Amino acid sequence: MSNVSDVNSSIPEVAQRLLWYQFEACAEAPHWFLLYYGVKVLNLVAGVPLNALVMWQILRKKSEGSTSDIFIFNLSVLDAYFGLMTPVDLANRLYFNDDHIWYSVRFAYGLKDTTPLFLTCICLDRYVAVVHPILFTGTRDTGIRIGVSMVVWGLILAYSLTKCILGVMSVNEVFSGLILSAFSIMVFCNLSIIWVLRKSVAGKEVMNPVKRKAFKMVMTVLAIIIGNYLPPVALMPFASTYSFITFRCKISLAVFSIMDLSCTVEPLLYISKMDQSAFCSCLKSPSKKPINVSV
């Protein structure tokens, strides 16, 4: 036994750190940390390339894109940056424990916390387009959306810097209010769009193919929004009522794991509705134009 203890004592403290080493009490529930960092690795491996592809496609067809593409591009930038910070987070948590690196990690977490702001912009843009088409016609100007994006970036940076400098708990109540407000607006917008699309086919046997496609897409988006953001809306406002272990070692990790999945799910959804020919001209469907054959 003495030999074992001598060997263990000779191992540097750095090498013995685990993912939950900051909270020793969390050692009794390690699986939640494994889930959380498993999602982060997934975002690094799959989410970053997918978001890069989305950004490339938007830049490639910027003259033909939808009015929401500006918001989608900014959302992809945030998600890609958050995914790229995974190696930094893991390295600092497992080996370095450097205070300066923790600042950058908290800043990245702050950026991810506020991504629902751009999601809300996307939902509002589509809501106005479907529910208030006349108003939308007068507000299609790209400059308006650039201005809105700049305001959103100002809010995002203010929140992220506060979290970075003052710590996680300094913005806990702000995060709860932000996620609740964003969730309510997004659900309202998507339900309104669904109602308008359903109303437009009242008394008809079949829905127009374009509207049917839009209806299915909105239903999918609504399901993703509810799946990703209902848990934090339902659980985070009551953070003060949970015990330390329950909140920091279980609930917060489960909630943020689900939220962080959006880094991969959202670009995947965007790519799934793109034409295959956008990736390669060889995927274009064959021309259906009649061929004149002269004899």
Side-chain angles (χ1 to χ4, degrees):
M1 290 295 294
S2 60
N3 291 335
V4 174
S5 61
D6 290 341
V7 171
N8 288 338
S9 62
S10 65
I11 298 175
E13 180 185 354
V14 170
Q16 298 184 50
R17 287 183 182 143
L18 298 174
L19 294 176
W20 53 88
Y21 79 94
Q22 286 183 307
F23 309 114
E24 294 181 1
C26 294
E28 66 180 54
H31 49 282
W32 293 106
F33 284 85
L34 297 177
L35 169 66
Y36 179 67
Y37 282 96
V39 171
K40 288 180 73 68
V41 171
L42 173 66
N43 289 334
L44 174 64
V45 174
V48 171
L50 288 172
N51 280 289
L53 180 59
V54 169
M55 288 186 280
W56 176 69
Q57 284 295 324
I58 291 175
L59 291 174
R60 184 169 170 265
K61 63 180 184 71
K62 56 184 178 181
S63 60
E64 307 170 2
S66 70
T67 54
S68 299
D69 279 354
I70 294 175
F71 302 132
I72 295 172
F73 182 87
N74 284 287
L75 181 62
S76 294
V77 170
L78 290 172
D79 284 343
Y81 177 80
F82 181 72
L84 288 172
M85 285 298 294
T86 297
V88 178
D89 187 3
L90 286 173
N92 196 48
R93 190 175 294 270
L94 293 172
Y95 298 105
F96 304 117
N97 194 26
D98 184 271
D99 290 338
H100 295 89
I101 299 178
W102 280 124
Y103 282 115
S104 62
V105 171
R106 286 198 297 269
F107 181 78
Y109 281 123
L111 294 180
K112 181 56 186 171
D113 288 350
T114 48
T115 52
L117 290 176
F118 276 119
L119 273 175
T120 303
C121 291
I122 295 169
C123 291
L124 283 170
D125 191 58
R126 291 172 177 171
Y127 165 80
V128 174
V130 175
V131 182
H132 304 286
I134 298 176
L135 175 62
F136 180 75
T137 303
T139 57
R140 289 181 63 92
D141 184 18
T142 303
I144 295 175
R145 286 158 183 79
I146 293 176
V148 171
S149 297
M150 292 176 65
V151 172
V152 172
W153 269 108
L155 296 173
I156 288 174
L157 292 175
Y159 175 95
S160 302
L161 288 172
T162 302
K163 186 169 187 174
C164 164
I165 298 170
L166 300 181
V168 175
M169 300 309 294
S170 64
V171 293
N172 194 49
E173 293 182 0
V174 176
F175 173 74
S176 297
L178 183 151
I179 204 72
L180 178 59
S181 301
F183 179 79
S184 301
I185 294 172
M186 288 189 288
V187 170
F188 168 77
C189 290
N190 283 279
L191 288 177
S192 298
I193 293 171
I194 291 171
W195 182 78
V196 169
L197 290 175
R198 292 294 299 173
K199 185 180 178 182
S200 66
V201 295
K204 300 179 182 179
E205 294 183 1
V206 293
M207 183 183 289
N208 178 284
V210 175
K211 289 185 177 180
R212 183 169 62 250
K213 183 178 179 181
F215 179 80
K216 290 181 179 179
M217 181 57 63
V218 173
M219 289 292 291
T220 303
V221 170
L222 180 61
I224 291 173
I225 289 172
I226 292 175
N228 281 341
Y229 296 104
L230 182 58
V233 167
L235 298 173
M236 295 305 284
F238 307 102
S240 60
T241 64
Y242 305 124
S243 67
F244 176 85
I245 293 178
T246 300
F247 179 68
R248 298 306 295 267
C249 309
K250 299 177 182 179
I251 290 178
S252 63
L253 293 171
V255 164
F256 288 121
S257 295
I258 296 171
M259 280 187 62
D260 291 353
L261 272 175
S262 62
C263 290
T264 300
V265 174
E266 287 161 2
L268 195 60
L269 176 64
Y270 181 88
I271 292 170
S272 68
K273 66 177 184 177
M274 291 170 52
D275 293 333
Q276 292 182 340
S277 59
F279 300 99
C280 178
S281 58
C282 61
L283 297 176
K284 290 183 179 179
S285 57
S287 175
K288 296 182 180 180
K289 293 182 179 179
I291 301 175
N292 295 324
V293 180
S294 57
V295 181

